[in-house]
Amino acid sequence: MNEELFLLFCEVNPTSQIVLDHAFGKSPKMLRLIHFLRTIETTFKTPRAINVIYKEEVDQVEYTKLINRFYKLRQQLIEWLYHYLKKTETHSSKEEQSLSFIRYLVNKNQFKDALEKALKLEKHCQKLNLFELLPGVLNMIIYCQQCLFIGGDKALIDAEKRLLKAVEWNHALQKLHYYHQQSYRIKTIEDYQEVLKAVRKLIQPYKDLPRFTLLYHYIAFSKGCTAIGRTHKSTNALVRHLNKLEAILKEHPQMPMIFAMAHYPKLTTYNLLLLKAIFYFYRGQYNESAKALKERDRIETAHPNLPYPTSESEIRNTISILISSKQYRLALKKWEQLVAFYKKHEQDERLDLALMEKANIYFFQYPKVNKTDLLALYEDLLEAGTRATEFTDFIIIATIWVKLLLGKTFTAIELEKGAGMFNAYQLEISLVRQLGEAIYQKNSKLLRQLIKDIEKLLENKNNSIQSLYYQQFIVIAKTHV
């Protein structure tokens, strides 16, 4: 228990120390315990703490009683810390912490102090469009005014009007969150336009509130740049959304974009950089895409303790970008993170997707890839191919790529089964078939002709993903000539 208390106390930041002192201002023994914890650097033995906290009583009170008193005091502080640390900066924003402290003051009947802090917090939340917190802040203001009889009915009526407006803004924000979540399922341009239309209609009455406009441009850009093909079809529109989004953030750098989570100013920049990297990737601007990832790494290095979000899509998108910028060693490290992510969340069925990602890394790294690694992956893919899962098409494509690199033959049936994936990337099945046959037969003449044919195709290609594969087809063909 002493170690538990020590570790919990180490989580208390300087701002929280003030709250801690305030909470136990009328408990001399607790203040001694708190001061004792501030002076030590490692965990402690119970007698050491007792000698500090009960120094005047050690020779006068039975020691077992002092031990029991200390245990109760220790438990009280542990419970308080567990409760409070749920509100600390690791888990919530500074504004949420402030609101939590105001509620704490109200629970202690310290209405004057609570009211002063709540009025300041209200102005701050108004300025930053923190509509998540405004209703809670205003409820505290009204309650304190009622308890103190400050301002009479006029002050109460005014605060009630502000509360009603805050509830309206909060409701609009929650609906925007709904559209943001719904947009993850967008599959067609029609779905995309439908969501944007609904968002524009929702925020129309709130043109003077920049956060609503910010969210609109964020949804438009984030969902527009992550769909293959849409980046090319709507490049100008997406650039406009990005420019407006960044202009609002520049003018209001402390305003949250989606959720007012802990450290949201830094995390907003961090998350936006990944979207920009994806956007540049689909446009074929691989150097710009890599620069965005490097800036994310710089933020992580400068702020290693921030709660950075990790998801399957974040990891897989990063792998694709690292491949496009030829950073294969980093891509393999990210691949290891993907495997760890699946295992941590007990998603063993999705490990087949990890095999596909590894095949992609080796495919584009070729010929600078160890043949032993290729053969090991080939065996894993053959085993995965015996399982009937929702990722069968991915495994088929991955197996075809590895067979191509190993010079092994593949059948027309395999190619046909992978037709959906080939079509998604606009890759010509006949070209893949001819390349595979030429490598298997060691037909240098056909390989040289295929190189010319692919180079001609590349002259008229504007699909960056398609071009990426065709360029690698040329590398593979030249390796086998």
Side-chain angles (χ1 to χ4, degrees):
M1 294 290 284
N2 289 339
E3 183 179 7
E4 181 181 12
L5 175 59
F6 174 75
L7 293 174
L8 279 171
F9 193 83
C10 288
E11 293 291 319
V12 180
N13 60 31
T15 302
S16 301
Q17 293 274 8
I18 298 171
V19 179
L20 188 59
D21 288 339
H22 194 288
F24 295 105
K26 296 181 179 179
S27 175
K29 293 292 190 282
M30 184 64 82
L31 289 176
R32 281 189 181 181
L33 174 56
I34 292 168
H35 178 73
F36 168 72
L37 292 169
R38 285 177 181 148
T39 63
I40 60 175
E41 296 181 356
T42 60
T43 190
F44 60 94
K45 300 291 184 181
T46 296
R48 183 182 175 189
I50 288 176
N51 287 335
V52 171
I53 300 165
Y54 305 99
K55 58 183 178 180
E56 295 90 351
E57 302 163 61
V58 168
D59 296 327
Q60 302 169 4
V61 179
E62 187 177 343
Y63 199 74
T64 54
K65 289 184 179 179
L66 293 179
I67 291 175
N68 288 333
R69 290 178 189 177
F70 171 71
Y71 285 168
K72 290 178 182 178
L73 193 70
R74 181 181 64 187
Q75 186 60 33
Q76 183 184 359
L77 184 54
I78 286 174
E79 289 175 0
W80 191 95
L81 287 171
Y82 268 120
H83 175 75
Y84 184 79
L85 286 173
K86 292 177 183 178
K87 310 296 182 183
T88 61
E89 62 180 0
T90 303
H91 308 288
S92 58
S93 67
K94 291 180 180 179
E95 292 83 6
E96 286 179 287
Q97 294 177 54
S98 297
L99 179 55
S100 176
F101 186 45
I102 288 166
R103 287 180 175 138
Y104 167 78
L105 292 174
V106 168
N107 287 338
K108 292 295 183 180
N109 298 321
Q110 298 184 41
F111 303 119
K112 185 176 182 295
D113 196 10
L115 180 59
E116 289 174 358
K117 293 181 184 301
L119 288 169
K120 288 180 182 178
L121 184 58
E122 181 197 4
K123 289 181 180 179
H124 178 77
C125 289
Q126 285 270 16
K127 181 180 178 181
L128 297 187
N129 287 192
L130 292 172
F131 306 129
E132 301 94 330
L133 301 180
L134 266 176
V137 174
L138 280 157
N139 273 312
M140 289 295 96
I141 289 172
I142 292 170
Y143 183 70
C144 289
Q145 287 175 333
Q146 290 170 338
C147 292
L148 295 171
F149 295 100
I150 289 179
D153 286 349
K154 185 177 182 300
L156 285 172
I157 292 170
D158 181 61
E160 287 162 4
K161 287 179 180 178
R162 302 201 309 274
L163 173 59
L164 191 60
K165 200 66 181 174
V167 169
E168 179 188 333
W169 294 335
N170 180 272
H171 180 65
L173 179 65
Q174 297 307 317
K175 291 191 75 172
L176 278 172
H177 285 165
Y178 162 76
Y179 288 123
H180 166 254
Q181 304 290 24
Q182 184 192 40
S183 66
Y184 278 93
R185 293 187 292 101
I186 286 175
K187 291 183 174 62
T188 67
I189 191 69
E190 291 76 21
D191 292 340
Y192 176 70
Q193 295 295 351
E194 195 64 30
V195 168
L196 293 191
K197 180 181 176 182
V199 173
R200 283 195 298 270
K201 182 179 179 181
L202 175 63
I203 69 173
Q204 200 280 330
Y206 310 111
K207 292 180 179 179
D208 58 328
L209 300 172
R211 187 172 177 199
F212 290 136
T213 306
L214 177 66
L215 254 170
Y216 164 69
H217 291 300
Y218 174 79
I219 293 171
F221 178 71
S222 64
K223 305 315 164 190
C225 74
T226 53
I228 296 173
R230 192 172 301 143
T231 304
H232 289 287
K233 293 176 183 177
S234 309
T235 292
N236 292 336
L238 291 177
V239 169
R240 284 197 300 272
H241 286 304
L242 175 60
N243 288 341
K244 290 180 179 178
L245 189 157
E246 291 189 313
I248 295 171
L249 287 175
K250 185 176 181 180
E251 186 178 354
H252 306 279
Q254 298 301 312
M255 189 170 66
M257 190 153 55
I258 309 169
F259 304 109
M261 62 183 72
H263 310 285
Y264 59 79
K266 289 186 179 68
L267 292 178
T268 292
T269 301
Y270 181 81
N271 293 332
L272 186 56
L273 281 166
L274 179 61
L275 288 174
K276 290 171 74 172
I278 294 168
F279 178 58
Y280 293 133
F281 170 76
Y282 283 132
R283 293 182 76 190
Q285 295 175 269
Y286 303 127
N287 288 336
E288 292 299 315
S289 185
K291 282 181 185 177
L293 285 191
K294 285 181 180 178
E295 181 59 19
R296 276 168 60 93
D297 290 340
R298 188 197 65 77
I299 293 174
E300 286 189 31
T301 302
H303 308 281
N305 297 320
L306 292 186
Y308 296 104
T310 302
S311 67
E312 178 190 27
S313 60
E314 184 267 339
I315 298 171
R316 291 181 62 198
N317 280 320
T318 302
I319 289 173
S320 296
I321 295 165
L322 290 170
I323 288 173
S324 69
S325 57
K326 305 185 188 307
Q327 299 182 70
Y328 305 114
R329 183 180 59 82
L330 292 178
L332 281 170
K333 281 191 174 182
K334 204 70 180 176
W335 176 83
E336 291 172 358
Q337 187 181 349
L338 180 65
V339 172
F341 180 87
Y342 288 145
K343 289 182 177 179
K344 176 182 177 180
H345 296 281
E346 299 180 354
Q347 292 182 299
D348 289 352
E349 72 282 358
R350 298 187 76 82
L351 287 170
D352 286 352
L353 274 177
L355 287 177
M356 182 207 70
E357 295 293 356
K358 194 172 192 178
N360 278 334
I361 296 170
Y362 286 170
F363 178 81
F364 286 101
Q365 188 180 14
Y366 187 85
K368 295 180 180 180
V369 59
N370 191 300
K371 189 174 181 180
T372 303
D373 293 336
L374 268 179
L375 288 169
L377 176 59
Y378 179 59
E379 293 298 322
D380 290 339
L381 288 168
L382 289 180
E383 181 185 345
T386 64
R387 301 188 289 268
T389 72
E390 60 181 304
F391 308 115
T392 298
D393 289 351
F394 295 99
I395 293 299
I396 290 170
I397 293 292
T399 305
I400 289 172
W401 292 153
V402 174
K403 281 186 173 183
L404 199 63
L405 303 183
L406 291 171
K408 295 180 179 291
T409 185
F410 42 80
T411 66
I413 294 175
E414 284 179 289
L415 288 171
E416 192 59 36
K417 286 181 178 179
M421 291 296 295
F422 285 123
N423 290 335
Y425 292 115
Q426 298 179 25
L427 301 178
E428 297 179 20
I429 294 180
S430 61
L431 191 62
V432 179
R433 177 181 55 77
Q434 290 179 66
L435 183 58
E437 289 175 355
I439 292 172
Y440 179 68
Q441 296 168 3
K442 300 180 180 178
N443 188 333
S444 296
K445 182 179 178 180
L446 179 55
L447 284 170
R448 281 191 287 269
Q449 184 58 50
L450 283 170
I451 290 169
K452 290 180 181 179
D453 292 343
I454 297 171
E455 286 175 341
K456 190 173 181 179
L457 283 170
L458 279 170
E459 292 175 4
N460 303 313
K461 298 300 177 187
N462 59 8
N463 182 320
S464 60
I465 303 296
Q466 184 186 47
S467 297
L468 204 63
Y469 276 97
Y470 280 172
Q471 287 165 6
Q472 186 60 14
F473 286 166
I474 292 174
V475 171
I476 295 168
K478 285 182 176 179
T479 305
H480 287 88
V481 169

